[in-house]
Amino acid sequence: AQTVTQSQPEMSVQEAETVTLSCTYDTSESDYYLFWYKQPPSRQMILVIRQEAYKQQNATENRFSVNFQKAAKSFSLKISDSQLGDAAMYFCAYRSTGTASKLTFGTGTRLQVTL
Amino acid sequence: ETGVTQTPRHLVMGMTNKKSLKCEQHLGHNAMYWYKQSAKKPLELMFVYNFKEQTENNSVPSRFSPECPNSSHLFLHLHTLQPEDSALYLCASSQGRALTDTQYFGPGTRLTVL
């Protein structure tokens, strides 16, 4: 079974600084996608970034980028120039062709942004 | 974000009550999902509907009964719930069930079972 592990329950970063959130996953599939979702205090889950497993190039969306290490099954999220609005729960998630409907989530990392 | 709406946002019910959660998506999607989010646990997929047909039931107890009358609406009917069913219930939708189809989430219904 696929599992997603986020080992950092909470992280803190100062405004304008950079923070990296960790995620590891376990799978025997070869074709899959990985996602980072953000859930602000208002609770609506928003897709931040996604990575196709077959792509070697790391995905980037403005201040958000990932470090995808396929062999190590690691998928970390880097937030640059952190802003107060980045404070939220961040969930790493996995989806494969074997279970196309199902997003498997980690337990989340709560990110605090301080002045 | 108004693509996926959920009502009510908060619900308190007794164990003998019957209530329903409603989800509506305005994105023209064909697939809809119910997830349960409990504290300190990963989101759990409950049900999947594709073109109004249930395609996945993730071993959910029968006290949760989903209904999908059309591709835009999804309900979760609740009866005889237990206190451990208290959680945030999230609805999501996607264009289809392909790997490339992003799931868009609603704001959730915070359910408290007394």
Side-chain angles (χ1 to χ4, degrees), chain A residues 20-35:
Chain A
T20 299
L21 308 184
S22 301
C23 174
T24 58
Y25 60 95
D26 188 24
T27 183
S28 57
E29 304 269 356
S30 58
D31 188 13
Y32 54 88
Y33 277 56
L34 295 162
F35 306 84

Side-chain angles (χ1 to χ4, degrees), chain A residues 75-91:
Chain A
F75 182 62
S76 60
L77 175 70
K78 185 171 85 171
I79 306 174
S80 304
D81 186 26
S82 297
Q83 300 174 359
L84 294 176
D86 295 333
M89 282 291 288
Y90 286 82
F91 293 95

Side-chain angles (χ1 to χ4, degrees), chain A residues 4 31-33 35 37 39 42-47 50 89 91 95-97 99-107, chain B residues 1 4 9-10 33 35 37 40 42-43 45 48 56 58 88 90 97-103 105-108 110:
Chain A
V4 176
D31 188 13
Y32 54 88
Y33 277 56
F35 306 84
Y37 277 89
Q39 189 178 38
S42 66
R43 297 177 303 173
Q44 191 141 14
M45 197 93 68
I46 305 164
L47 178 67
R50 74 177 192 183
M89 282 291 288
F91 293 95
R95 191 179 188 189
S96 74
T97 51
T99 56
S101 298
K102 185 175 179 179
L103 271 172
T104 300
F105 285 86
T107 50
Chain B
E1 204 48 73
V4 182
R9 295 292 300 273
H10 300 270
Y33 311 77
Y35 285 88
Q37 186 177 21
K40 313 243 187 242
L43 271 78
L45 178 67
V48 181
E56 203 158 331
N58 204 27
L88 182 67
L90 293 171
R97 292 167 57 235
L99 202 55
T100 53
D101 291 329
T102 298
Q103 292 186 20
F105 285 82
R110 171 68 65 189

Side-chain angles (χ1 to χ4, degrees), chain B residues 49-102:
Chain B
Y49 278 81
N50 196 36
F51 291 98
K52 303 187 299 178
E53 299 297 318
Q54 188 181 118
T55 57
E56 203 158 331
N57 176 338
N58 204 27
S59 303
V60 180
S62 59
R63 58 185 183 270
F64 294 91
S65 175
E67 179 191 0
C68 189
N70 54 62
S71 291
S72 299
H73 293 86
L74 184 65
F75 295 89
L76 188 63
H77 304 299
L78 316 170
H79 68 97
T80 326
L81 294 193
Q82 305 298 310
E84 60 265 29
D85 296 322
S86 299
L88 182 67
Y89 288 85
L90 293 171
C91 174
S93 73
S94 62
Q95 183 61 49
R97 292 167 57 235
L99 202 55
T100 53
D101 291 329
T102 298

